[in-house]
Amino acid sequence: MPTAQTPPARPRRVRDPELHRRAILDAAARAFAERGYNRATLRDIAQRAGVTHGLVLRHFGSKENLFLAAVPGTRSVEELAEDSGEPLAARIAQEFVRRLENPESTDTFVALMRSATDDEHAAAKLYIAMQHRTDETYRRLLGAHALEHRVPFLAALLVGVTFSRYVIRAGALAEMSAERFTEDLTASIDALLRERPPAGRPAPLGDHRRESGDGRTAD
């Protein structure tokens, strides 16, 4: 007498929020890099990550929040706070070059630069949000005065460099070797961040160095 066979048990779905979050961030980085901020959709990102649209919203809340979480620059600034023994300018330049020179890079900062031509308002909003995310780290590394008077110029420098070398890929910066580019970018960042008060103006609070008559600094 035939007996009914017990259907095979369905494999249990593994619930791993951190694994899902990582998959969503990786999918978002690819989607934003390939399609830009405006044309990338949360549904497409969810499909790439193998999750539901609702799970993407549960983790990040909005496309803007997901973009900001996927931008490697905002995460790498935190790593700069770790004292590696190298000058800060060298650390900034090396991390910037490491991220963007990778031929397989899906850097969402480049995607933001490309999106600026499609929607200036959205690009400006994201750019300001990215700055706010890194303000506290730069304040800790450089002080309040530099955050107000130096870091905005550092951000503008990196935006211009990104546009020239990685977006339109034209001009002297685009033609440099990676080694020369890293060296010159380091020197530019160092010159920008170094505190040199104008003649007759005291050094900002928090900087206890003073210049002697021959131009040297003394403690």
Side-chain angles (χ1 to χ4, degrees):
M1 180 176 178
T3 58
Q5 294 183 348
T6 303
R10 293 183 179 180
R12 297 179 63 184
R13 181 174 295 179
V14 178
R15 295 182 179 275
D16 189 336
E18 185 55 35
L19 184 64
H20 288 157
R21 180 181 173 84
R22 185 69 261 168
I24 293 169
L25 286 173
D26 289 343
R30 295 195 305 273
F32 286 129
E34 292 170 10
R35 308 192 65 187
Y37 177 78
N38 294 321
R39 288 187 291 273
T41 66
L42 292 182
R43 294 191 182 279
D44 174 48
I45 291 169
Q47 185 175 18
R48 292 176 185 235
V51 301
T52 65
H53 175 261
L55 187 61
V56 174
L57 289 175
R58 192 180 310 161
H59 275 281
F60 297 98
S62 68
K63 185 166 80 167
E64 178 183 332
N65 289 340
L66 176 55
F67 180 89
L68 293 172
V71 174
T74 58
R75 298 195 305 273
S76 62
V77 168
E78 294 293 335
E79 298 171 3
L80 296 176
E82 300 176 5
D83 186 5
S84 65
E86 289 186 288
L88 179 60
R91 282 183 275 161
I92 294 174
Q94 290 168 9
E95 173 61 17
F96 180 87
V97 173
R98 183 194 67 77
R99 278 174 34 220
L100 276 76
E101 288 290 316
N102 184 351
E104 298 180 358
S105 173
T106 54
D107 198 289
T108 43
F109 186 58
V110 176
L112 176 61
M113 295 297 98
R114 291 173 176 152
S115 296
T117 58
D118 297 330
D119 188 337
E120 294 180 6
H121 176 73
K125 183 179 179 181
L126 290 168
Y127 178 69
I128 296 300
M130 287 169 59
Q131 285 189 318
H132 288 167
R133 282 196 167 205
T134 58
D135 277 355
E136 189 53 41
T137 300
Y138 278 123
R139 186 192 307 275
R140 189 166 69 253
L141 291 172
L142 299 169
H145 181 271
L147 177 64
E148 180 179 356
H149 298 281
R150 298 289 187 272
V151 173
F153 290 94
L154 171 62
L157 169 66
L158 295 180
V159 166
V161 167
T162 301
F163 186 77
S164 177
R165 185 173 176 90
Y166 302 106
V167 177
I168 63 173
R169 301 183 181 185
L173 294 182
E175 297 170 0
M176 287 183 181
S177 67
E179 293 77 15
R180 173 64 184 277
F181 175 65
T182 305
E183 180 181 340
D184 287 355
L185 180 60
T186 299
S188 298
I189 294 173
D190 180 66
L192 186 60
L193 295 182
R194 192 182 300 275
E195 290 285 356
R196 295 189 183 90
R201 181 182 300 175
L205 293 175
D207 187 346
H208 301 293
R209 296 172 303 173
R210 65 179 185 277
E211 286 198 353
S212 60
D214 58 2
R216 295 177 299 175
T217 59
D219 293 328

